[in-house]
Amino acid sequence: YERFEEQLSEMRWRELYNAMAVIEQQPLRVMFESAPEITRIMATLEAEYSVAPAQLVVVDYLQRLTHKAAETKEREVSYIGNECKSFAVKHRCHVMLLSQVNDAGDARWSKEVEDAADVVIRVKKDTAGASRGTIAVEKHRNGKMGVCEFAWDGTNQTFV
């Protein structure tokens, strides 16, 4: 903590403090499903949203989600993406669907995710266990794309 504190100017600490004060006032609800079927999750979100609207919904973890009408993983991913997109459009909120994709093994159905997404961000480490890598915005329908490098020293995350 002291080491991190020394790296931030007083002005940056004030900015960080003010940002945290805003975040602290926001409601956070966590829903856990042991067998997450996307239509059931969306129905629960609909009920929650009518009580307390949200600006951001984060759905984690795509690989664990299911859809009862899907015959293949590709169709399942397509259905899940469509459910999330429909919710976002209907409620005018952002829906972030998180996925861990192995480019080689998951290529067939990961294409479905990328096609449906408005934004695709990839985090890649240089090598397994590496402390350096890149964060790349590879697709953005309404904004800029780009890449930044990151380094991790075991204590602080820095972007260069």
Side-chain angles (χ1 to χ4, degrees), residues 58-133:
V58 180
V59 180
D60 185 28
Y61 167 65
L62 174 62
Q63 284 83 339
R64 293 212 11 104
L65 299 176
T66 62
H67 191 285
K68 58 186 170 200
E71 316 81 45
T72 65
K73 187 62 177 176
E74 291 84 4
R75 290 301 303 149
E76 186 171 61
V77 168
S78 180
Y79 288 143
I80 291 167
N82 289 336
E83 291 279 347
C84 291
K85 214 166 199 177
S86 294
F87 184 87
V89 169
K90 179 178 179 181
H91 296 292
R92 294 183 177 181
C93 71
H94 301 281
V95 175
M96 184 185 301
L97 180 57
L98 304 178
S99 173
Q100 184 175 356
V101 178
N102 175 339
D103 290 335
D106 301 329
R108 287 190 358 236
W109 63 266
S110 68
K111 181 84 171 109
E112 293 285 339
V113 175
E114 292 178 20
D115 287 345
D118 289 331
V119 179
V120 174
I121 300 171
R122 283 195 201 283
V123 179
K124 292 184 180 178
K125 293 193 299 183
D126 290 340
T127 60
S131 61
R132 299 189 65 76

Side-chain angles (χ1 to χ4, degrees), residues 126-144:
D126 290 340
T127 60
S131 61
R132 299 189 65 76
T134 58
I135 297 174
V137 178
E138 294 183 351
K139 176 183 176 183
H140 196 313
R141 293 184 202 236
N142 301 313
K144 295 181 180 180

